[in-house]
Structure formats: C-alpha cells, structure tokens
Amino acid sequence: MKNFINFHILISHSPSCLNRDDMNMQKSAIFGGERRVRVSSQSLKRAIRKSDYYRQHLGEASVRTKKLDELIAIINDRLAGRYDAELVKKTVALLAGKESSVGVATEGDAVAPWAIEEVAWFCEQVKRALVQGQDEKALGKLLKNETAAMRQALASGVDIALSGRMATSGLMSEIGKVDGALALAHVLTTHSVDADIDWFTAVDDLQELGSGHLDTQEFSSGVFYRYASLNVGQLQENLGNAPREKALEIGAHLLHMLTTVVPSAKQQSFAAHNLADLALVSFSDIPVSLANAFEKPVRSVNGSGFKEPSIAELHNYWQQIHTGYGLSERCGEFILGQSSVPEGITRQSTIEELKTWVMNNGEG
C-alpha cells in the first residue's frame, strides 16, 4: 500500500496581502533567483484548523496556549463537570511540569497544543493513580505502557496528529510527543512578483479638512503553488492505530481545506476568497514536491495570465519526475476549465469526486 498522499494545489489569488512579516510587508522568498510572494505554512495550517469546515468534519481543534490558568478554565467548561476542578488543575500541572506550591503555575514553557478529550483521559489516569497512592514518577512509568490508549484519546485532536507536538517538561515530555503526519510547504507564487503599494486614508467624519490617518499597505496578486504530503501510516499511529479508512477520510477532508481555505489577513480590505484552479493528488511510496516546476518563474505570454502556463508547467514537470524516476503512483486530478491532463492521471469532474477518489484509492 502507498504510504504517502501528495497534494499539489494551484490557486490564483486576486490582489491581496494574505501573510505579513514584522515590517507589515508581504512575506516573500527568493526562488529561482527572483522574488516570490509567500504564505507561510504556519499561517495556512492555522487557517485550516480554525476553519468552519475543520470544525464541522474533524471536530474542535486543539487549544494552543501557554496560559495554563486560562486553559484550565476552558477545560472545566468543555468537560462540563466530568472531573473535579482540583483534579483538572493537578492533571494539567503534571502534564506541563508546572506545579507550584499553590497549585499550577500560570504559564507553560511555550505555546503548546492541548486536546480537551486527551486531557480528560489523563484526568482519569491521575484519578486512578491518586486512589492507588502512586506518585508522579510511578504514574509516568505506568502511562508509558498505555501509549496506544492515549493516542486513541488524541483522536479528538486531529490537528495535533497532523502537525505533531513537542514538549520539554512534565509528563507530556515523557509520553506526549507526537511526530507530525503532515508536511506542509510554504506557499509560493509560480512566477516573480512586483508588489504594489496601496496609499490609504482613514477619513474622520468630524474633521473638516484632510484625513484622520494616512498609511501604506503592500499587496499583490498571483498564482500560488501549495504542496503538502500526508504520511498515512504515521497518522494512523498518532490516532491510536486507527484504521486506514479513517486516515484516508482525514486525507480527503485535508484536500478540501487545501483547495478552499484562505488565511484571513486583510480580507476585509481585499476579499481574496479564491478557490483552487487545480488539485492533483498522488498516492506514492515517497513524498514528492513539484515546486521545481516553477524554479524558472512562469511568464505570461501575450497577456494570457499565469494560470494556464502554471498548469502546463506543473503537468510537464510531473511527467518528467514520474517517468524519470519510474515512480509507482496512482494520481487523480480535479481541474477547472477545459485543460487536458497527462496520461497516467485520472481526471475527476468535481472536488467532491476527487475526495471520494482519495477515500477509495488508498488501499492497493
């Protein structure tokens, strides 16, 4: 069975500023010797896990915070009285390694993801340990033998299973580390970009002349390449040895979000709510990015835009890699418009058909 699902997405964004740096400028990167606009993988992952689609199909995302006191309040609210407040406090302190003389320290070492149902599972184990008179060290040894059960509890925190978790203190550092199943690249334009500057004013209705505020904002448009690779076996392990069918279902939902979710930055000003023009999915033995299809920046020919030549370059490079390395892949693609697809790629008419294809083609 092929262990990796590779996602290749082309999405054309109208003028926007989807991701900014510390200077309030668009994030960018040099690739192929020319400047490209960039959307960081962190920005896109956050947009995905905060999306309505994620909540509807994968449940509540993890709570990412280092504010332990506020986290405890959220846990008590979400668990609706299932556990005594003092037990919840004790459990979080043990997990974070931040127990103090008055209970639990107010902050952890760093921002960390917390899955509510996973914390509930730990509450149950701490409760049992307290009844049996076990100390923290004994509890840690006991829980190391119950990793699979803990991973099943993590099933409510799919974004942790996808993105992973690193911990440096407390019980979480001993048994809670998770190797992420999803590798998501920084999103780059397929072509070089010269940004525009918007000089804007905030007009004060009660000021007779001039404006109340003047400033500038960088923005641009372009065709972006999104690449992600999902390690199916790792995802199954992270979810407590979940069946492959469950991992493929998550993969299908991930495809939907990679083609539809857009970071929210400056969207009230630019409304770049664009959907993907192409989604190519391959089941493969190895993760394979097609970013080098655009190492030479795509050029617009006779004002034809960047979308069609980007599609052509992606298909051409896929064919070169597929043939040159003799890759054993099963490939499906959804594409808007009349563009043809190379031999070896099964075309799907809609994104829903491609999602179904993902769920049905991951067994062989």
Side-chain angles (χ1 to χ4, degrees):
M1 290 186 289
K2 308 299 182 186
N3 188 53
F4 291 92
I5 308 178
N6 292 301
F7 302 91
H8 311 282
I9 313 297
L10 289 179
I11 180 168
S12 180
H13 282 299
S14 52
S16 55
C17 184
L18 297 174
N19 197 196
R20 290 168 286 169
D21 61 19
D22 59 340
M23 301 297 291
N24 203 38
M25 306 293 281
Q26 288 187 112
K27 286 189 175 180
S28 63
I30 301 298
F31 185 48
E34 296 191 26
R35 184 190 186 230
R36 318 295 180 93
V37 172
R38 174 172 63 96
V39 176
S40 72
S41 56
Q42 182 183 30
S43 172
L44 182 55
K45 283 191 286 188
R46 178 176 172 79
I48 284 173
R49 73 173 181 268
K50 290 292 185 179
S51 68
D52 290 338
Y53 185 94
Y54 183 102
R55 183 170 57 255
Q56 292 166 7
H57 296 275
L58 297 178
E60 291 293 332
S62 64
V63 178
R64 294 176 180 247
T65 185
K66 64 178 181 180
K67 299 181 183 302
L68 299 181
D69 50 350
E70 295 180 31
L71 172 68
I72 290 170
I74 292 173
I75 292 172
N76 283 324
D77 180 64
R78 297 263 186 99
L79 295 182
R82 284 163 55 184
Y83 296 100
D84 178 81
E86 286 302 314
L87 176 62
V88 172
K89 182 185 292 186
K90 175 70 173 178
T91 301
V92 171
L94 289 173
L95 290 173
K98 290 296 178 181
E99 193 169 18
S100 69
S101 59
V102 293
V104 58
T106 58
E107 288 197 354
D109 292 329
V111 174
W114 298 81
I116 302 301
E117 286 302 320
E118 183 187 33
V119 175
W121 182 85
F122 275 111
C123 283
E124 196 66 42
Q125 312 316 307
V126 172
K127 180 180 179 181
R128 182 181 63 176
L130 291 175
V131 170
Q132 297 174 352
Q134 295 173 326
D135 59 16
E136 179 183 344
K137 187 174 182 180
L139 177 61
K141 290 181 179 180
L142 173 66
L143 294 184
K144 282 184 179 180
N145 298 322
E146 299 190 24
T147 303
M150 185 191 70
R151 290 289 190 264
Q152 290 173 0
L154 184 60
S156 63
V158 174
D159 62 301
I160 299 176
L162 289 172
S163 299
R165 176 173 59 199
M166 181 185 72
T168 58
S169 60
L171 281 178
M172 199 64 82
S173 67
E174 299 180 43
I175 60 176
K177 292 181 180 179
V178 178
D179 293 327
L182 175 68
L184 179 62
H186 288 241
V187 183
L188 296 177
T189 53
T190 63
H191 50 87
S192 59
V193 174
D194 291 324
D196 292 301
I197 299 294
D198 178 31
W199 184 79
F200 65 90
T201 65
V203 178
D204 188 331
D205 290 338
L206 302 183
Q207 182 173 314
E208 185 174 351
L209 296 174
S211 61
H213 177 74
L214 303 173
D215 207 345
T216 59
Q217 176 65 63
E218 187 179 37
F219 70 97
S220 64
S221 61
V223 176
F224 291 77
Y225 171 64
R226 295 180 175 182
Y227 168 68
S229 177
L230 180 63
N231 184 326
V232 178
Q234 185 68 58
L235 180 59
Q236 290 177 262
E237 178 184 332
N238 290 353
L239 296 177
N241 299 320
R244 188 172 172 90
E245 292 81 0
K246 177 63 176 178
L248 295 178
E249 179 186 351
I250 293 173
H253 290 314
L254 181 61
L255 165 64
H256 187 102
M257 291 183 286
L258 285 170
T259 57
T260 61
V261 173
V262 181
S264 60
K266 302 296 286 187
Q267 287 287 42
Q268 297 306 105
S269 299
F270 290 103
H273 300 295
N274 309 109
L275 305 178
D277 300 289
L278 176 150
L280 169 60
V281 181
S282 75
F283 284 88
S284 177
D285 297 315
I286 58 175
V288 181
S289 168
L290 299 179
N292 282 343
F294 313 112
E295 194 272 340
K296 178 182 179 182
V298 169
R299 307 296 182 190
S300 176
V301 179
N302 298 324
S304 61
F306 294 110
K307 185 179 73 171
E308 293 303 325
S310 294
I311 291 172
E313 289 298 333
L314 183 75
H315 282 159
N316 180 54
Y317 192 72
W318 172 83
Q319 188 71 68
Q320 293 178 37
I321 289 289
H322 183 78
T323 303
Y325 282 89
L327 296 182
S328 175
E329 296 178 285
R330 287 193 305 281
C331 301
E333 183 175 278
F334 161 66
I335 183 172
L336 294 174
Q338 302 301 314
S339 299
S340 60
V341 302
E343 183 178 351
I345 298 177
T346 303
R347 182 167 185 168
Q348 307 297 318
S349 299
T350 67
I351 194 65
E352 288 300 321
E353 285 187 10
L354 185 57
K355 288 164 61 179
T356 301
W357 182 91
V358 169
M359 289 187 282
N360 292 339
N361 280 269
E363 298 304 318

